[in-house]
Amino acid sequence: MRQRVATAVWRVVLAAGLVCGIGLLPWLTQTDPAYTVLKARSAEREPTPEVLADIRAQLGLDGGPLHVLGRWLGGLVRGDAGQSWISGSEVLPDVLQALGASLLLMSVALLVAALTAGIVCARTLRLGARRRLGGRRRGGTGSAVIASLPEFLVASVLATVVGVQLGWLPALGWYGPQWTVLPALALGLPAGAVLGRLLDDLLPGAFGEPWALAAAARGLTGRRIARQALRRCVPALLPNLGLFVVGLTGGAVAVEQVFDIPGLGRTTLQAALAQDLPVLQAGTLALVLLAALATGATRLAARLLTGPALRDGALSSLHRPAPPAGGLLPLLYGAVLLAVVGVGLTRDPLALDTGARLLAPSLDHPFGTDSLGRDLLARIGHGAFDTLLLASAITAAVLVAGVLLGLVPRVSAPLVDTVNAVPPVLAALLVTAVAGSGAATPALAVGAVAWAPLAAHTSALLRQERATLHITATRGLGAGRWYLLRRELLPAVLPPVLRHALLRLPGVALSLASLGFLGLGAQPPSPEWGLLLAENQPYAERAPWAVLAPAAVLALLGALAVTAAGGLRRPRRRRDAAGSGVPEPPTVEKELVAAR
């Protein structure tokens, strides 16, 4: 009971710290909020001292940030979130309306994600139901490509091709159910690919558990066994599903911008840029409450699905020893990526030729040219080092942080919920306010939020692994916590978490580039890959190769990361005497004696 109270207090402290930090944002950035509000209201009006003083008096800014924050909190207790500094309208109705639009979009996007995840792991379910998983080749290339596609690129392509050129569905606005289809596809396809890969990683272990073997021996249908295997694996993914719920609600800024959706993410971003504190604080508080509700719901669902087996330590490990996957595909993808980068390095990425603007791919320009006549192959080759090295370094750092924080879920779980409630763009603004703008700002901003899914994944897998029978037996033989962590828990949990981190590597690269829109990331004429996408996006309809070339390289990076991660498996300890390949239980007594 004390632990639950301490966790609840820690969660409240973090949420209050976030809301208060956002309330201090204008003063942290050392900008005059009155000047920012004036520019947001009327960009042409002269910011004279008299005009600024009048705005300060209207908004009550003369009392300082603590006075403004205290007045907002006092009104919030009475159900009054204040009035917008820009429009003067009541904040609470506007935020609730934006939240409703985002929740509707999130619901449809989750449905798309669920269908996508089902397609990704359909082959494993089919083979598992037929007891033929022994010869299954681990794939994931297609899902890796989908997962690596940036949401704003998918949104732009769907809006241009499906909405404008074909006219099948509306591309702009928010007036009814049919307006949700395209943005839900843009959000749900990448999310579903990630969830499908994580689920596909767990299913073979579920089909190999004793209950599945006994069910098959009793003559139960393969379809019923597959349903139970799916139920067995879902609890380990529910924490990440909770993160996706909040991310699809508040983090869908780019998609909402493309499709002109008045959602909460877009509303929060506009309020942050205009320093409209009442709207920004109310929107952030709504996201924090949504994160708490999503976390509570997923934990309750995990307990209901797992049943008393989690409490009694009667589960089997889903992470069984397995031989490494074949290495031909990673070598092939790596060779293609190196060839593209190598050829691009021999060309000049900054050479301008205004007479060769937006040329289609040819022998002289294999990837075509951009809007300034620069060779795209050259820019992709020279941008590889900035993109890959920085993204790899951040991925390694957030992997370590995620695993370490995942080991202490009572501390990290409320922190994960709070961090995940902050849209990435808002996180960048907060990091810039504290650390200032500079070369390290994009890395700090992305790293500040990218560890949360890995920490949630680690905690969920550890919770499942601690409840397994072999851990219970090993603990009964006298093994201590350090021995169990070092010899049993980490070897089972690290490979899937590392594969998860590699799956997110292209997303980290794109997150770095997205900060360029705020002046925090790579700036022109830098050839950074994500910036190439952003620069060429307006020409997607006229010159699709200008967008497809960097997108294809990012997809190739995603395929390389996932297929290379397929070889990261928990090694077999030894084969049984008959050579059947079934792992023999470890001789715990001998290992404990050696450890002592």
Side-chain angles (χ1 to χ4, degrees), residues 2 11 30 40 48 85 94 104 121 134 152 154 156 211 226 306 326 354 387 412 466 507 518 520 567 593:
R2 291 182 179 179
R11 192 183 299 273
Q30 298 181 353
T48 62
W85 288 0
D94 293 341
L104 176 60
C121 60
F152 74 86
V154 178
S156 299
W211 68 264
T306 307
T354 55
T387 303
S412 64
R466 285 193 181 104
L518 294 179
L520 305 175
V593 171

Side-chain angles (χ1 to χ4, degrees), residues 134-525:
R136 184 184 78 118
R137 293 187 303 170
R138 295 190 179 273
T141 303
S143 59
V145 172
I146 297 175
S148 63
L149 292 176
E151 294 172 349
F152 74 86
L153 175 61
V154 178
S156 299
V157 172
L158 290 176
T160 302
V161 177
V162 180
V164 177
Q165 293 183 347
L166 299 178
W168 291 347
L169 291 168
L172 293 175
W174 189 255
Y175 306 105
Q178 57 182 343
W179 274 265
T180 65
V181 178
L182 292 182
L185 286 173
L187 290 171
L189 287 176
V194 174
L195 289 175
R197 282 299 306 157
L198 298 179
L199 180 60
D200 190 68
D201 196 45
L202 296 174
L203 282 172
F207 279 113
E209 289 183 337
W211 68 264
L213 302 176
R218 291 186 59 187
L220 269 69
T221 62
R223 182 173 299 179
R224 186 173 179 182
I225 296 175
R227 285 200 303 266
Q228 294 301 320
L230 194 62
R231 178 181 176 180
R232 171 70 178 89
C233 298
V234 164
L237 299 181
L238 284 176
N240 272 281
L241 182 61
L243 298 182
F244 276 115
V245 167
V246 184
L248 293 177
T249 305
V253 179
V255 174
E256 291 177 355
Q257 290 280 18
V258 170
F259 290 101
D260 195 22
I261 299 174
L264 187 59
R266 184 183 178 191
T267 301
T268 305
L269 173 62
Q270 292 175 347
L273 296 177
Q275 293 190 356
D276 191 353
L277 289 188
V279 177
L280 178 59
Q281 289 172 310
T284 304
L285 184 61
L287 289 173
V288 171
L289 294 176
L290 178 63
L293 291 175
T295 301
T298 53
R299 288 181 179 175
L300 178 61
R303 290 183 180 275
L304 293 177
L305 288 173
T306 307
L310 184 64
R311 179 197 62 205
D312 299 336
L315 294 175
S316 298
S317 176
L318 290 176
H319 307 287
R320 299 188 164 200
L328 293 180
L329 281 179
L331 292 177
L332 177 61
Y333 295 142
V336 174
L337 186 60
L338 286 176
V340 170
V341 173
V343 175
L345 288 175
T346 63
R347 298 166 176 256
D348 186 359
L350 301 178
L352 299 177
D353 186 0
T354 55
R357 298 174 63 252
L358 299 176
L359 290 181
S362 62
L363 292 178
D364 293 333
H365 304 285
F367 286 179
T369 61
D370 64 5
S371 59
L372 297 178
R374 296 172 296 189
D375 185 74
L376 282 175
L377 178 57
R379 295 184 62 74
I380 288 174
H382 284 266
F385 291 101
D386 292 339
T387 303
L388 296 179
L389 291 180
L390 187 55
S392 300
I394 294 175
T395 301
V398 299
L399 172 63
V400 174
V403 170
L404 292 178
L405 290 171
L407 296 177
V408 284
R410 289 189 180 91
V411 176
S412 64
L415 189 59
V416 167
D417 299 339
T418 306
V419 168
N420 190 64
V422 181
V425 176
L426 181 56
L429 290 174
L430 291 173
V431 170
T432 305
V434 176
S437 59
T441 299
L444 290 175
V446 174
V449 297
W451 61 269
L454 301 178
H457 195 194
T458 302
S459 298
L461 295 180
L462 281 174
R463 191 181 306 115
Q464 295 269 319
E465 198 69 21
R466 285 193 181 104
T468 56
L469 288 171
H470 77 276
I471 294 295
T472 304
T474 307
R475 188 182 295 113
L477 291 170
R481 292 184 177 181
W482 173 246
Y483 176 86
L484 290 174
L485 180 66
R486 180 171 53 92
R487 301 300 297 271
E488 299 294 338
L489 295 177
L490 285 180
V493 171
L494 281 180
V497 176
L498 180 55
R499 292 192 293 272
H500 185 184
L502 288 175
L503 185 64
R504 291 183 176 272
L505 176 61
V508 170
L510 284 167
S511 298
L512 291 170
S514 65
L515 300 183
F517 291 106
L518 294 179
L520 305 175
Q523 295 297 306

